[in-house]
């Protein structure tokens, strides 16, 4: 019978998501890692900056181990969305380095405490939370933003997959994927013509 190490499992999935996020910046220009590619401004370096703050907040301040490498953008007097984009004077090296240090600090917290250790989320009304809950949250949070990075990177230069070599993607060259996309588009258009939209229910 195989034993379980819940902390190790959670940390493995967290680290995997961290690695995916960072490789999405590899090989891109300063402009491409910063440019907004959704109406709400989602961009690759901003995702890294946001998660640096999250790692510092959840694994640092929450457990009385403040991380000295950054202000916590999600608290205090920071301007709205300051954690979601990088100014021109904030270099790639600084932001990525900050994220790596915040993650290393987080790993020290994870290693030092049991899963049932209780921390207090900072704020006007501090909330108690266990390390287990924080780890689970950060796995979900980082995987979610790694998914955002997947889409943004594909929009930038077509690169896909969980690894730089395209791993975790179904096989197919550019022509095959173009054919797949066309097939999906035709199905969507056909469904639209059938009037399946909820907003059109009851209309004639």
């Amino acid at each position: 019978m195989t034993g379980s190490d819940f902390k190790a499992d959670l940390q493995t999935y967290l680290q995997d998501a961290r690695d995916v996020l960072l490789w999405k910046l590899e090989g891109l220009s300063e402009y491409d890692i910063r440019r907004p590619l959704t109406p709400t401004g989602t961009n690759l370096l901003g995702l890294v900056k946001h998660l640096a703050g999250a790692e510092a907040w959840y694994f640092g301040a929450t457990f009385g181990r403040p991380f000295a490498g950054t202000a916590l953008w999600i608290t205090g007097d920071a301007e709205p969305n300051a954690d979601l984009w990088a100014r021109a004077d904030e270099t790639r090296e600084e932001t990525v380095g900050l994220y790596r240090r915040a993650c290393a600090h987080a790993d020290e917290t994870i290693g030092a405490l049991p899963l049932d250790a209780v921390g207090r989320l900072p704020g006007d009304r501090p909330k108690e939370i266990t390390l287990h809950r924080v780890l689970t949250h950060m796995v979900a949070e980082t995987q979610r933003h790694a998914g955002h990075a997947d889409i943004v990177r594909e929009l930038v230069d077509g690169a896909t997959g969980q690894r730089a070599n395209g791993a975790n993607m179904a096989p197919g060259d550019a022509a095959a994927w173009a054919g797949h996309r066309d097939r999906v588009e035709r199905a969507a258009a056909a469904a639209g013509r059938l009037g399946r939209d909820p907003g059109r229910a009851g209309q004639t």
Side-chain angles (χ1 to χ4, degrees):
M1 182 175 180
T2 302
S4 296
D5 185 334
F6 297 125
K7 184 196 283 190
D9 289 345
L10 288 166
Q11 196 165 9
T12 294
Y13 278 93
L14 176 58
Q15 186 59 51
D16 187 62
R18 292 166 172 170
D19 293 342
V20 170
L21 182 74
L22 288 180
W23 98 252
K24 295 295 179 177
L25 277 66
E26 291 182 9
L28 295 181
S29 69
E30 286 293 328
Y31 172 67
D32 283 336
I33 63 171
R34 299 163 184 267
R35 62 173 166 138
L37 284 165
T38 70
T40 53
T42 305
N43 65 94
L44 291 168
L45 195 59
L47 292 171
V48 175
K49 184 178 177 182
H50 169 74
L51 284 169
E55 294 267 2
W57 194 54
Y58 279 103
F59 292 111
T62 296
F63 291 98
R65 302 185 68 253
F67 174 65
T70 179
L72 299 181
W73 302 287
I74 51 178
T75 62
D77 298 325
E79 66 177 76
N81 302 319
D83 58 321
L84 295 173
W85 64 288
R87 301 186 312 270
D89 64 338
E90 292 178 312
T91 70
R92 177 199 316 237
E93 291 74 20
E94 288 170 346
T95 304
V96 170
L98 185 68
Y99 181 55
R100 291 188 187 280
R101 291 194 302 277
C103 291
H105 184 79
D107 288 342
E108 291 174 2
T109 298
I110 295 166
L113 299 174
L115 285 177
D116 59 359
V118 177
R120 291 171 66 84
L121 291 173
D124 294 335
R125 300 176 63 182
K127 175 184 176 183
E128 290 192 344
I129 189 169
T130 64
L131 178 64
H132 192 171
R133 186 71 175 268
V134 166
L135 257 171
T136 302
H137 171 79
M138 283 304 299
V139 169
E141 176 85 356
T142 309
Q143 292 285 5
R144 176 172 182 260
H145 290 310
H148 293 153
D150 283 339
I151 301 301
V152 172
R153 180 64 191 255
E154 187 172 0
L155 290 171
V156 169
D157 68 353
T160 59
Q162 192 173 355
R163 299 287 182 271
N165 62 3
N168 276 33
M169 289 293 294
D173 58 15
W177 283 112
H180 170 72
R181 186 188 182 284
D182 289 344
R183 185 181 184 191
V184 173
E185 174 61 33
R186 290 194 301 271
R193 288 192 297 271
L194 291 173
R196 294 176 178 167
D197 294 332
R200 299 175 61 181
Q203 296 181 11
T204 58

